Amino acid sequence: MSSIRTFCRILPLILVIAIPSASFAEDAARGKITGPIWVRHAIDDFASGADGVRLADLNEDGRPDIATGWEEAGITRVYLHPGTSKVKERWPAVAVGRTPSVEDAVLIDLDDDGRRDVVSSCEGGTKTVFVHWGPKDTAELLEPNAWQGSPIKSSEKAGTWMFAVGMDLDDRKGVELVVGPKGGGDMVWFRTGENPRDLAAYEKFVISPTGWIMSIRAIDMDDDGDTDLLISDRKGSHRACRWLENPGADSPDALVKPWKNHNVGAVGREVMFLTTGDVDRDGLEDVVAAVKPYDVMWFKRLDKTGDRWELRTLVYPENTGNAKGVAVGDVTGDGRPDLVISCEHAEGDKRGIVYLQQGKTPQDKWIARELGGAAGIKYDRIELVDLDEDGDLDVLTCEENEGPGSRGLGVIWYENPTR
């Protein structure tokens, strides 16, 4: 197995609609990870089970704030960016509610009152989506009692909920909520009633059958002016990178029926987190996915239809864990997008988070670079954002299982040394 992981480089172009990806191996020495380990800063490590980071500007200060579900602790917490002078310290935090088996927490203004709320998606025995209504007064954001949480009635025991996004699908007040499950359930959207805060009135409509949703991105995939859904589906007969075509608000009957499916690629593979970005700087947004066991699949967009893609595969470097997450961004400051990748099962001396530096062209060799060192075993999705406001992209993520008896590294960020 190790022979297919020894070298990070792009494979020949392959039309994903016709031919599967090939494997490639070269001298193991070329697959060594080089470069300095970045300084790690803890935002919060109060318990075990930090499970994902989602960003939004909650207090409207122009800086990114964070929502994180702590699965084992059964709590959803929000973190306010403390400003540049204190960004390397623990961030101010508030527990917005009890959420047993929470898998995802996201900041969304669900009732259109100008203030973001928090939506928590829970699996396990909970199987419920909770909404925590945010206080209108920013001075109360760190007050636990100012957050009022309730379940969406039609979500209760209706799915092992994994991931949620907000998007505007109809002409009613507020955004609609799209949630994906695992365990063979359906991805659904919830329509609010006349009062978005009346969670008992939310109607549920099926968008697509699924196996295990890892990512949902609300994005216009076919350039027709409305927002579609790009997803990574990890298990079952529908597993792939694929997108679901929004029938449009002018087709209300079609909105409440399953949406048309379009495969991007990795059909039949175990796709973990995905993202988008213009990897080759050709003006078209590509799709990039971490795919088990050790692949980074870059689906190069060929046009704006969303139906023509070319696959290029990079192999995770030697001495890393299994594929988990990926983010696209220029972390080296050379003007070329790089790929930051995360892992799970990074036991022992294996690396859990590294990055692949792009050469002068995407066809050149990609170089595996150090980032997090050997600390951490189970990393999650990644955000690239300039947290310390020094002009380069830092890496924000979480790690929920540092080792036996450990509560994990928690919500963390790595300070980019490029500056």
Side-chain angles (χ1 to χ4, degrees):
M1 178 63 71
S2 63
S3 64
I4 68 171
R5 306 176 58 199
T6 55
F7 183 48
C8 290
R9 66 169 292 157
I10 298 175
L11 302 186
L13 295 181
I14 300 170
L15 283 174
V16 301
I17 58 173
I19 305 173
S21 173
S23 61
F24 192 89
E26 288 206 13
D27 179 25
R30 297 183 179 178
K32 290 181 178 179
I33 305 170
T34 63
I37 296 173
W38 296 16
V39 176
R40 184 179 76 243
H41 302 283
I43 290 172
D44 190 10
D45 59 357
F46 87 105
S48 62
D51 212 351
V53 288
R54 308 289 295 276
L55 303 182
D57 183 3
L58 185 60
N59 56 0
E60 299 179 352
D61 66 351
R63 296 185 172 101
D65 306 308
I66 305 169
T68 296
W70 291 75
E71 183 177 4
E72 279 74 26
I75 293 174
T76 294
R77 284 164 75 89
V78 165
Y79 306 93
L80 300 184
H81 192 295
T84 306
S85 64
K86 296 183 178 180
V87 72
K88 298 177 184 179
E89 304 172 9
R90 265 47 173 190
W91 289 21
V94 60
V96 301
R98 293 287 304 174
T99 51
S101 301
V102 59
E103 274 289 336
D104 174 65
V106 60
L107 293 157
I108 301 172
D109 183 5
L110 201 55
D111 58 356
D112 198 32
D113 67 349
R115 184 67 59 207
R116 292 182 185 270
D117 314 298
V118 178
V119 175
S120 298
S121 302
C122 299
E123 56 150 344
T126 307
K127 297 182 179 178
T128 300
V129 180
F130 294 92
V131 180
H132 317 276
W133 302 109
K136 291 186 178 181
D137 187 349
T138 57
E140 297 181 343
L141 287 174
L142 295 177
E143 298 293 331
N145 293 335
W147 294 83
Q148 303 298 318
S150 299
I152 296 176
K153 188 68 176 178
S154 56
S155 78
E156 293 183 292
K157 306 301 180 182
T160 48
W161 304 112
M162 295 294 292
F163 202 90
V165 297
M167 59 189 297
D168 188 11
L169 288 174
D170 57 23
D171 296 326
R172 302 191 184 201
K173 184 178 181 180
V175 300
E176 282 66 55
L177 188 65
V178 176
V179 190
K182 73 174 185 181
D186 294 320
M187 174 181 285
V188 302
W189 68 277
F190 293 94
R191 171 183 283 164
T192 65
E194 292 300 320
N195 175 13
R197 288 205 171 206
D198 182 4
L199 298 178
Y202 280 35
E203 297 179 273
K204 183 169 83 266
F205 302 101
V206 173
I207 296 176
S208 174
T210 62
W212 182 332
I213 293 300
M214 290 294 293
S215 303
I216 308 174
R217 296 183 70 88
I219 185 171
D220 185 358
M221 291 294 293
D222 52 2
D223 198 38
D224 66 351
D226 58 26
T227 305
D228 309 298
L229 293 168
L230 173 65
I231 66 174
S232 54
D233 197 348
R234 176 179 176 181
K235 296 285 189 179
S237 59
H238 303 281
R239 58 182 176 171
C241 293
R242 54 195 183 97
W243 64 276
L244 304 163
E245 184 177 351
N246 186 342
D250 56 351
S251 305
D253 292 338
L255 271 175
V256 300
K257 298 177 182 178
W259 297 9
K260 182 179 178 181
N261 180 77
H262 302 257
N263 287 332
V264 175
V267 177
R269 296 291 301 274
E270 188 172 0
V271 186
M272 304 301 282
F273 290 112
L274 62 69
T275 190
T276 60
D278 186 2
V279 179
D280 56 357
R281 295 168 292 158
D282 66 351
L284 297 174
E285 196 84 350
D286 307 314
V287 175
V288 184
V291 181
K292 281 186 175 288
Y294 310 116
D295 287 340
V296 180
M297 290 190 173
W298 164 26
F299 300 98
K300 173 180 165 57
R301 181 187 283 269
L302 299 181
D303 59 28
K304 294 182 178 181
T305 66
D307 286 325
R308 298 184 65 239
W309 308 86
E310 285 180 346
L311 171 62
R312 300 177 179 183
T313 301
L314 288 77
V315 181
Y316 265 62
E318 192 70 19
N319 203 35
T320 61
N322 294 351
K324 185 65 176 289
V326 61
V328 179
D330 178 14
V331 298
T332 59
D334 62 4
R336 297 186 288 269
D338 309 299
L339 301 177
V340 180
I341 54 178
S342 66
C343 308
E344 57 186 16
H345 300 299
E347 292 88 357
D349 192 46
K350 292 180 180 178
R351 272 38 180 170
I353 184 163
V354 299
Y355 73 94
L356 308 180
Q357 182 178 0
Q358 186 174 163
K360 291 184 178 180
T361 73
Q363 289 74 29
D364 293 336
K365 183 179 70 172
W366 291 62
I367 305 298
R369 300 292 192 190
E370 281 277 19
L371 202 158
I377 291 175
K378 187 179 181 183
Y379 285 84
D380 210 86
R381 66 187 305 273
I382 305 163
E383 293 283 354
L384 303 183
V385 58
D386 185 4
L387 290 177
D388 53 3
E389 300 178 333
D390 66 352
D392 54 27
L393 291 175
D394 305 303
V395 175
L396 172 67
T397 187
C398 61
E399 197 279 331
E400 60 178 309
N401 183 10
E402 188 183 7
S406 168
R407 61 188 184 188
L409 300 177
V411 182
I412 52 178
W413 68 279
Y414 293 90
E415 183 178 352
N416 192 329
T418 298
R419 182 180 60 86

